[in-house]
Amino acid sequence: QVQLAESGGGLVQAGDSLRLSCAASGRTFSSYVMGWFRQAPGKEREFVAAIRWGSGRTYYADSVKGRFTISRDNAKNMVYLQMNSLKPEDTAVYYCAADRSRPPDMVVADTPVEYDSWGQGTQVTVSS
């Protein structure tokens, strides 16, 4: 089992930047895929970005491509989400998640059901 804890959320203005952090405790393996999802009030949880723990290959939702960057620090067991040029529509609770059974030759999942470990979430609010 891996435990996840997010931090770094807050209230910012449109155009500002924020960096979210996700601390992973417990055993982690190179086969893991780490993802960021978000959920706005009244909406379903949606995929934001993912990274393969071993190779570092990254994946992004079209809505954040070019503005957000996911990265990881294997030595510290940390995953980050750098968010630039924030928009009011980015307002949501952001969750860190782990898919512990994604072989390297399998497409990375972008649906919440495929991820089996979740953090508690951190609120990001972007004012216009």
Side-chain angles (χ1 to χ4, degrees):
Q1 188 83 17
V2 59
Q3 292 78 44
L4 305 174
E6 306 93 338
S7 61
L11 171 63
V12 297
Q13 293 186 332
D16 285 350
S17 298
L18 270 179
R19 189 177 81 155
L20 304 183
S21 299
C22 173
S25 59
R27 298 192 68 181
T28 57
F29 297 94
S30 61
S31 60
Y32 284 14
V33 172
M34 302 299 295
W36 285 98
F37 287 77
R38 65 187 182 187
Q39 188 166 17
K43 295 188 176 182
E44 293 187 353
R45 194 167 296 189
E46 66 172 1
F47 173 79
V48 175
I51 186 168
R52 290 192 182 272
W53 197 275
S55 68
R57 185 173 178 180
T58 58
Y59 308 82
Y60 297 95
D62 288 342
S63 59
V64 306
K65 202 170 293 184
R67 298 189 298 124
F68 291 10
T69 302
I70 188 171
S71 62
R72 91 275 193 242
D73 185 329
N74 288 16
K76 296 181 179 179
N77 269 10
M78 295 290 294
V79 179
Y80 305 100
L81 185 67
Q82 177 67 42
M83 305 185 295
N84 298 330
S85 302
L86 282 162
K87 305 175 181 180
E89 51 264 44
D90 295 318
T91 294
V93 177
Y94 283 71
Y95 297 91
C96 178
D99 177 355
R100 299 182 293 158
S101 57
R102 185 66 46 175
D105 58 349
M106 185 176 290
V107 173
V108 166
D110 60 2
T111 53
V113 69
E114 298 290 342
Y115 291 75
D116 51 15
S117 296
W118 291 85
Q120 293 300 307
T122 184
Q123 176 71 47
V124 172
T125 303
V126 185
S127 64
S128 57

